[in-house]
């Protein structure tokens, strides 16, 4: 018998169901070919399993990071929109400042990315576009990020690109829309008799620029003190007052009061947030017409707060052109 061959007689071949005339082949060659095929199959299965693991890992991670990116874009758009009316016009009322709104939104996004608790800075997430729409006073933030995918590289996928877009619109809250003009009489020894407290449906918060607008009628203007209150304390906003038009801030009986209409910046008064506004009559009887002293009336005349507007609010938009207004708020005029 030749070495390396197995030789079976005819009867043995027939019993094993083999062709009698078939030639015998070296068993060492067959085994080598089998081992090579198994190795290739094992590698293919390994790559496939690695791909499945990678897809599972990155699908979850992609959803998480996309949520973080969308949250940062939405927050930036809202912050930018809330600062849309940060300037004061010639009439004293807030006016649009789109450039500032875009700058504020961009800074808000960058701050969110740079946060130590955010993984976005690791992957270089950026706001690729921050724009405004003056028609509806809105700010749109378009953001982008890329996640490297080491486990998917054997499948030809090197990274995953994430995109997020958010739009927010500047809004105002006007409590006098629901109460009407506020009249306060300058008489009495109890502060509750010459003071009016408004509980706010939406909190008064500090944003860049002026936050509160308190308008007196132009005739019979009298001194008032405007305060921002929480449930236990009230804080004088007069240090943050900017008189509008012919109005003025002046001293009466040793205290500073606002005569006429004024804008208020909470930050200048050291206030960040309040859920109530208190307006108190100075209890002085002299009055002014358009900033000109008229004198003392023969009978007590109420001071009339014609309008109160609060700024720094923003609402989410469906897109840059469709921005529903939540109940209780209104577009900034």
């Amino acid at each position: 018998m030749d070495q390396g061959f197995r030789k079976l007689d005819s009867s043995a071949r027939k019993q094993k169901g083999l062709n009698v005339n078939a030639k015998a082949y070296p068993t060492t060659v067959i085994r080598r070919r089998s081992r090579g095929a198994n190795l290739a199959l094992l590698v293919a299965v390994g790559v496939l399993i690695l791909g499945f693991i990678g897809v599972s890992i990155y699908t979850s991670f992609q959803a998480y990071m996309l949520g973080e990116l969308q949250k940062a874009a939405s927050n930036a758009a809202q912050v930018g929109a809330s600062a849309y009316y940060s300037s004061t016009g010639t009439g004293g009322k807030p006016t649009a400042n789109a450039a500032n709104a875009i700058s504020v939104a961009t800074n808000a996004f960058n701050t969110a990315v740079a946060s130590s608790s955010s993984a976005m800075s690791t992957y270089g997430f950026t706001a690729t576009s921050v724009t405004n729409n003056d028609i509806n006073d809105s700010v749109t933030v378009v953001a982008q990020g890329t996640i490297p995918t080491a486990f998917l590289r054997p499948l030809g996928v090197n990274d995953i690109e994430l995109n997020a877009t958010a739009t927010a619109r500047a809004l105002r809250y006007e409590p006098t829309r629901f109460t009407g003009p506020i009249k306060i009489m300058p008489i009495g020894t109890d502060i509750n008799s010459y003071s009016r407290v408004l509980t706010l449906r939406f909190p008064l918060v500090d944003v860049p620029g002026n936050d509160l607008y308190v308008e007196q009628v132009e005739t019979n203007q009298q001194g008032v003190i405007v305060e921002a209150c929480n449930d236990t304390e009230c804080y004088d906003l007069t240090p943050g007052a900017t008189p509008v038009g012919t109005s003025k801030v002046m001293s009466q009986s040793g205290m500073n009061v606002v005569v006429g209409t004024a804008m208020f910046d909470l930050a200048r008064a050291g206030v960040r947030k309040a859920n109530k506004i208190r307006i108190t009559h100075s209890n002085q009887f002299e009055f002014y017409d358009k900033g000109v002293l008229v004198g003392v009336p023969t009978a007590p005349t109420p001071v009339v707060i014609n309008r109160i507007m609060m700024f720094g609010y923003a609402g989410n938009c469906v897109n840059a052109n469709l921005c529903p207004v939540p109940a209780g708020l209104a577009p900034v005029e």
Side-chain angles (χ1 to χ4, degrees), residues 128-150:
T128 58
S129 172
V130 181
T131 57
N132 71 289
N133 184 349
D134 271 335
I135 296 177
N136 57 15
D137 301 333
S138 66
V139 174
T140 298
V141 176
V142 178
Q144 187 180 81
T146 302
I147 300 174
T149 55

Side-chain angles (χ1 to χ4, degrees), residues 68-78 109 140-143 164-167:
E68 291 294 294
L69 183 63
Q70 185 64 56
K71 187 190 303 181
S74 297
N75 179 70
Q78 287 191 346
F109 183 88
T140 298
V141 176
V142 178
T165 301
T167 300

Side-chain angles (χ1 to χ4, degrees), residues 6-313:
R6 291 179 182 179
K7 190 171 182 181
L8 300 177
D9 57 20
S10 299
S11 60
R13 288 175 176 269
K14 289 179 180 179
Q15 288 177 359
K16 294 181 176 291
L18 300 175
N19 186 349
V20 176
N21 298 318
K23 296 181 179 179
Y25 290 93
T27 58
T28 54
V29 176
I30 294 174
R31 288 174 181 171
R32 288 174 183 170
R33 290 178 179 174
S34 176
R35 283 199 298 268
N38 289 340
L39 181 60
L41 180 60
L42 183 61
V43 171
V45 171
V47 171
L48 187 61
I49 292 174
L50 188 63
F52 279 130
I53 294 174
V55 168
S56 177
I57 292 173
Y58 288 112
T59 297
S60 301
F61 189 58
Q62 176 186 4
Y64 170 74
M65 291 307 299
L66 182 58
E68 291 294 294
L69 183 63
Q70 185 64 56
K71 187 190 303 181
S74 297
N75 179 70
Q78 287 191 346
V79 172
S82 69
Y84 207 93
Y85 280 78
S86 58
S87 297
T88 303
T90 54
K93 296 181 181 180
T95 57
N97 188 339
N100 184 64
I102 290 173
S103 175
V104 169
T106 303
N107 290 338
F109 183 88
N110 292 338
T111 299
V113 170
S115 171
S116 59
S117 61
S118 172
M120 292 186 291
S121 59
T122 304
Y123 304 111
F125 285 13
T126 58
T128 58
S129 172
V130 181
T131 57
N132 71 289
N133 184 349
D134 271 335
I135 296 177
N136 57 15
D137 301 333
S138 66
V139 174
T140 298
V141 176
V142 178
Q144 187 180 81
T146 302
I147 300 174
T149 55
F151 287 112
L152 296 181
R153 286 176 183 170
L155 300 179
V157 180
N158 295 323
D159 51 53
I160 299 174
E161 184 178 290
L162 303 179
N163 296 280
T165 301
T167 300
R169 178 183 192 178
L171 298 170
R172 64 180 169 84
Y173 171 39
E174 186 176 344
T176 46
R177 289 178 60 197
F178 310 101
T179 64
I182 298 172
K183 298 181 180 181
I184 306 173
M185 292 294 290
I187 55 176
T189 57
D190 180 6
I191 189 172
N192 293 320
S193 67
Y194 56 91
S195 182
R196 178 73 179 271
V197 176
L198 282 78
T199 300
L200 304 174
R201 181 175 178 180
F202 301 97
L204 174 62
V205 294
D206 176 44
V207 295
N210 292 313
D211 313 292
L212 176 67
Y213 172 81
V214 179
E215 178 185 282
Q216 286 190 39
V217 295
E218 290 186 331
T219 58
N220 294 327
Q221 293 177 339
Q222 300 170 62
V224 297
I225 300 171
V226 181
E227 297 171 285
C229 307
N230 53 36
D231 292 335
T232 58
E233 300 287 341
C234 289
Y235 304 92
D236 185 12
L237 295 181
T238 307
T242 300
V244 173
T246 57
S247 302
K248 60 187 70 179
V249 175
M250 58 186 300
S251 178
Q252 289 184 343
S253 300
M255 55 186 177
N256 290 328
V257 300
V258 176
V259 178
T261 299
M263 291 292 305
F264 297 85
D265 182 357
L266 269 63
R268 288 168 51 198
V271 179
R272 295 183 59 188
K273 186 177 180 180
N275 58 14
K276 299 176 184 177
I277 296 175
R278 183 167 73 180
I279 300 176
T280 304
H281 198 291
S282 64
N283 227 5
Q284 301 298 307
F285 295 98
E286 60 187 28
F287 65 96
Y288 296 76
D289 285 348
K290 298 181 181 180
V292 178
L293 177 63
V294 175
V296 178
T298 56
T301 302
V303 61
V304 179
I305 306 299
N306 194 45
R307 194 179 191 187
I308 295 176
M309 292 191 295
M310 296 160 50
F311 304 93
Y313 299 95

